[in-house]
Amino acid sequence: DAGVIQSPRHEVTEMGQEVTLRCKPISGHDYLFWYRQTMMRGLELLIYFNNNVPIDDSGMPEDRFSAKMPNASFSTLKIQPSEPRDSAVYFCASSPQRGILLTFGSGTRLTVV
Amino acid sequence: DAKTTQPPSMDCAEGRAANLPCNHSTISGNEYVYWYRQIHSQGPQYIIHGLKNNETNEMASLIITEDRKSSTLILPHATLRDTAVYYCIVRVAMGGATNKLIFGTGTLLAVQP
């Protein structure tokens, strides 16, 4: 298995632009998580899905952020419009039904200028 | 969830054992202790977990005190590649909402040559 695959690895965009981050979880994993990491706030859980259904989005910072999981093999995190304070590394992770053995992707480093 | 307390940083000489402590004095009977680590610029990586018995795998050993109020992660022969932030997390090992992992600040382990 190739693990959790995220794209792009790096994204630089101008303030106000729409940004879409992508994630392909490990096949057979029922849970998918989006995290954000900054120096100031550390690793924050934004949202997670179970069987493609959003379960808890309490960590999504504001309405500019949205996440979807149209099928078991793909998820997106969208920021519209983007702001400089959204600059961070965004990680996607997946896990099987039982236990919390998360496998993380390599992350997307987002820079909003 | 039980809170954990870890030292912010530790040093270890290459080739020596690294012993990373974690206090979780409010742990409940059904909560497991999980350890993850994050090497610079990578996503967190699962290391090991346990309930009450000591555990060992190819990466590390986990020693949990009899009263379960603290634990120690042991890297038997630390290498420079073990330099990372190590996170100790306490959660119930079940599906549903308990699957979400909340990361604290962890311990930055610096392995010195």
Side-chain angles (χ1 to χ4, degrees):
Chain A
D1 199 322
V4 176
I5 300 173
Q6 292 187 245
S7 64
R9 286 300 308 274
H10 302 275
E11 177 80 35
V12 180
T13 190
E14 292 185 347
M15 183 173 62
Q17 296 297 307
E18 177 180 295
V19 176
T20 299
L21 311 181
R22 297 172 175 80
C23 175
K24 176 179 169 56
I26 291 174
S27 177
H29 279 191
D30 297 312
Y31 287 84
L32 183 139
F33 305 80
W34 282 100
Y35 285 84
R36 176 174 70 176
Q37 186 170 35
T38 61
M39 288 293 292
M40 291 294 293
R41 300 174 68 88
L43 264 169
E44 301 175 276
L45 176 64
L46 300 178
I47 185 172
Y48 79 95
F49 296 80
N50 179 25
N51 292 325
N52 314 336
V53 176
I55 302 301
D56 185 346
D57 65 354
S58 59
M60 296 286 262
E62 47 196 276
D63 292 345
R64 297 185 297 106
F65 286 69
S66 62
K68 294 182 180 180
M69 192 165 185
N71 57 62
S73 59
F74 184 65
S75 176
T76 60
L77 178 68
K78 186 176 294 186
I79 309 173
Q80 165 65 19
S82 59
E83 297 182 2
R85 60 193 167 120
D86 302 330
S87 297
V89 181
Y90 291 80
F91 289 103
C92 175
S94 67
S95 75
Q97 175 65 23
R98 288 288 178 180
I100 49 174
L101 305 185
L102 272 64
T103 301
F104 282 77
S106 300
T108 295
R109 181 173 296 277
L110 172 66
T111 302
V112 183
V113 298
Chain B
D1 300 319
K3 293 189 181 296
T4 62
T5 304
Q6 299 178 253
S9 64
M10 293 181 63
D11 287 345
C12 176
E14 189 177 19
R16 304 297 293 270
N19 298 284
L20 294 98
C22 180
N23 286 322
H24 31 79
S25 58
T26 60
I27 191 169
S28 301
N30 61 347
E31 288 183 310
Y32 284 68
V33 180
Y34 291 81
W35 283 85
Y36 282 73
R37 74 178 181 183
Q38 186 174 21
I39 295 170
H40 183 60
S41 298
Q42 298 182 20
Q45 174 192 25
Y46 164 78
I47 302 173
I48 198 168
H49 74 284
L51 181 62
K52 58 177 75 173
N53 297 322
N54 298 337
E55 303 288 344
T56 296
N57 63 20
E58 65 278 5
M59 291 182 68
S61 294
L62 174 60
I63 308 298
I64 303 174
T65 58
E66 191 168 343
D67 63 8
R68 304 209 322 121
K69 293 183 184 297
S70 66
S71 60
T72 301
L73 178 74
I74 300 172
L75 308 179
H77 305 287
T79 71
L80 298 179
R81 288 174 294 179
D82 292 321
T83 293
V85 176
Y86 287 77
Y87 298 98
C88 170
I89 304 165
V90 174
R91 289 306 301 262
V92 253
M94 296 175 60
T98 56
N99 265 44
K100 65 180 189 180
L101 273 181
I102 307 300
F103 288 81
T105 54
T107 296
L108 173 59
L109 174 68
V111 180
Q112 309 291 344

